[in-house]
Amino acid sequence: MNRAISRLTGISIIIIVIIAIIAALFIFTMAPTPTAGGTIKIGFTTSVTGSLSVEGTRQLHGIQLWQEWVNSHGGIKIGNKIYNVSLLYYDDQSSKDNVVALYERLITADKVDFLISPYSSGLTFTAAAIAEKYHKVMVATGAASDSIFQQGYKYTVQLYTPGSLYLKSTIDLLLAKDPTAKNIAIIYEDEIFAASVADGAKKYAESKGLNVVYYDKYPSKPTDLSSLLTVIKSKNPDAIIGGGHFADGVLLIKQAKQLNVNAKLFSIVVAAPEDKFRDALGADANYIMGPSQWEPDVKYTVNYGPSVSEFINMYVKRFNETPTYHSAGGFAAALVLQAAIEKAQSLDSDKVREAFNSLDLKIFFGAFKIDPATGLQIAHQMVLIQWQGGKKYTVWPTEAASKEPIYPKPSW
């Protein structure tokens, strides 16, 4: 009797297994195969020529690398369709006037699906108005000014840490290394981004008890800063911070040395983190600091997209150079747009903008999360770099640093 029951049980198990296999094969056979959905067109301008060409070209490289990466990984899946990505872009020659016409063209003639911003807050401020006019989602990269996101716009979202927080890490380091520091000079380019950075730095410095003994701007694209630096020298500040973009940042340091303007700390935005800053200044770049949105030695754990090392390896292989934060920002801007499209499962601009509101990403570039009401970035944090012996190191905050900061800076 027992043997019969055992035999019957064995047969039943075999039958169940056969049925399960058949069912699995049936389900597999019935599962829809993704089909080609076409192409998602992403449009933008970039500064291949003009005063912003260094940063603009690196940002372009990052976006191009993302396109190659996403297409090689099967494209973007929406429902049962797979979309490849194409890029349409023009050289804006670092001109606001060109940005207006070219973004109009991208939307009305080229019929792009989504936008990425030009490089710089000034150009992005202009492009954001066009994106809003046509209800096109635009990811702002290389554009940190808070004011872009104070216009009541809906369709522009920010990748970078806002400008008002750019020099916070510099002031934190100054006070941590030198609690006796009292006086600080802030000099900045008369431009929307730099003004936002300077205003935020002034407010933060004063909130920490520092005396802002000099606070003034210089014209955009300056050729001579000697008169301002002479006044700063007379104030004998502990730190000189500010700048604007690459060319004026280099000029500021060159003329500070020529005039023997010394301070215990120099921190220059945008220019200092670029390798070309060292190339332009040689040994005079040493000990100069600068806030950076990203550096290759950061240690971030990701929950979306490539890891830090994967991104760096791809970039070096493709462009034969180490990526800067401008390069990384280009890739990251397209990557978060990809995440929003996938979350929305749609190419509809309003649905993708809505999807951005709930993204909470940890990518190779750092954290990404926006204020739903304004599109302002609220999660990403700055790091601080310093040139030492011709090499660039992350020196602040301590948990992200690869080397100790050198403070005070030796005199020229």
Side-chain angles (χ1 to χ4, degrees):
M1 183 66 178
N2 289 338
R3 290 181 61 187
I5 292 174
S6 177
R7 184 179 179 188
L8 184 60
T9 301
I11 292 172
S12 298
I13 292 173
I14 291 171
I15 291 172
I16 290 170
V17 169
I18 291 172
I19 291 172
I21 292 173
I22 292 172
L25 288 172
F26 179 76
I27 292 171
F28 178 78
T29 303
M30 293 300 292
T33 302
T35 58
T39 300
I40 298 174
K41 295 193 290 186
I42 298 176
F44 56 95
T45 73
T46 190
S47 301
V48 178
T49 59
S51 62
L52 304 175
S53 61
V54 172
E55 303 93 331
T57 300
R58 293 190 187 284
Q59 184 167 291
L60 170 63
H61 287 171
I63 299 170
Q64 290 174 320
L65 185 64
W66 168 79
Q67 180 206 18
E68 295 166 10
W69 176 81
V70 71
N71 285 341
S72 69
H73 282 71
I76 297 177
K77 188 171 184 288
I78 301 175
N80 193 39
K81 294 183 178 180
I82 296 292
Y83 293 80
N84 277 332
V85 173
S86 69
L87 303 179
L88 286 85
Y89 63 92
Y90 301 100
D91 179 11
D92 55 39
Q93 301 176 311
S94 309
S95 165
K96 288 182 182 179
D97 293 338
N98 291 339
V99 164
V100 173
L102 291 173
Y103 272 82
E104 289 267 5
R105 177 175 173 178
L106 285 164
I107 296 169
T108 61
D110 297 328
K111 306 292 184 185
V112 299
D113 297 293
F114 301 101
L115 299 169
I116 292 175
S117 76
Y119 174 76
S120 86
S121 293
L123 300 189
T124 298
F125 193 94
T126 301
I130 307 301
E132 193 70 16
K133 176 181 175 182
Y134 291 98
H135 296 187
K136 282 289 181 186
V137 166
M138 181 172 79
V139 181
T141 183
S145 173
D146 298 58
S147 64
I148 299 169
F149 304 91
Q150 295 166 350
Q151 306 304 311
Y153 295 156
K154 172 184 176 183
Y155 293 92
T156 299
V157 300
Q158 188 178 39
L159 177 75
Y160 276 20
T161 298
S164 58
L165 302 177
Y166 242 66
L167 286 165
K168 178 177 179 293
S169 56
T170 297
I171 294 167
D172 288 340
L173 181 147
L174 173 67
L175 293 174
K177 300 298 291 186
D178 186 1
T180 65
K182 291 296 182 185
N183 299 324
I184 189 168
I186 301 175
I187 177 173
Y188 64 97
E189 183 183 10
D190 188 9
E191 182 269 345
I192 184 173
F193 158 71
S196 172
V197 171
D199 181 62
K202 182 174 185 290
K203 290 175 179 173
Y204 189 66
E206 290 174 339
S207 76
K208 292 295 183 178
L210 290 170
N211 301 315
V212 180
V213 295
Y214 181 91
Y215 183 79
D216 204 356
K217 58 183 178 291
Y218 52 81
S220 187
K221 303 175 186 176
T223 57
D224 185 5
L225 299 173
S226 60
S227 60
L228 283 72
L229 286 167
T230 299
V231 176
I232 290 175
K233 185 177 181 179
S234 70
K235 302 291 184 181
N236 192 30
D238 295 298
I240 299 173
I241 65 175
H245 290 93
F246 183 79
D248 52 292
V250 170
L251 177 67
L252 195 157
I253 296 302
K254 278 184 176 178
Q255 294 199 307
K257 182 184 180 184
Q258 290 168 0
L259 297 167
N260 199 32
V261 180
N262 286 296
K264 297 174 185 175
L265 183 154
F266 280 80
S267 183
I268 307 300
V269 300
V270 179
E274 286 281 349
D275 287 346
K276 291 186 177 182
F277 182 77
R278 173 204 53 202
D279 299 340
L281 293 170
D284 292 338
N286 287 329
Y287 315 111
I288 305 301
M289 298 182 184
S292 177
Q293 296 280 352
W294 178 89
E295 289 298 318
D297 58 352
V298 296
K299 309 295 182 187
Y300 290 137
T301 300
V302 305
N303 63 13
Y304 186 78
S307 66
V308 175
S309 61
E310 287 171 339
F311 166 72
I312 293 171
N313 291 337
M314 284 191 291
Y315 193 92
V316 171
K317 183 178 180 181
R318 176 67 171 79
F319 297 106
N320 196 33
E321 65 178 15
T322 303
T324 68
Y325 78 80
H326 300 108
S327 323
F331 191 112
L335 184 66
V336 298
L337 176 59
Q338 175 188 345
I341 294 170
E342 290 174 345
K343 188 173 186 64
Q345 285 293 286
S346 172
L347 296 180
D348 179 80
S349 197
D350 285 290
K351 291 180 180 177
V352 171
R353 176 60 184 85
E354 180 69 23
F356 265 111
N357 290 342
S358 57
L359 287 185
D360 188 2
L361 302 175
K362 309 295 183 190
I363 61 176
F364 77 95
F365 192 72
F368 177 87
K369 187 177 178 64
I370 64 165
D371 171 25
T374 63
L376 190 75
Q377 179 57 229
I378 58 174
H380 192 259
Q381 300 292 321
M382 301 294 287
V383 298
L384 189 63
I385 66 92
Q386 184 180 41
W387 289 96
Q388 299 181 13
K391 295 183 179 178
K392 183 175 59 176
Y393 298 97
T394 297
V395 296
W396 195 264
T398 303
E399 58 270 23
S402 59
K403 204 159 187 176
E404 281 288 318
I406 296 177
Y407 180 93
K409 174 191 175 298
S411 298
W412 297 112

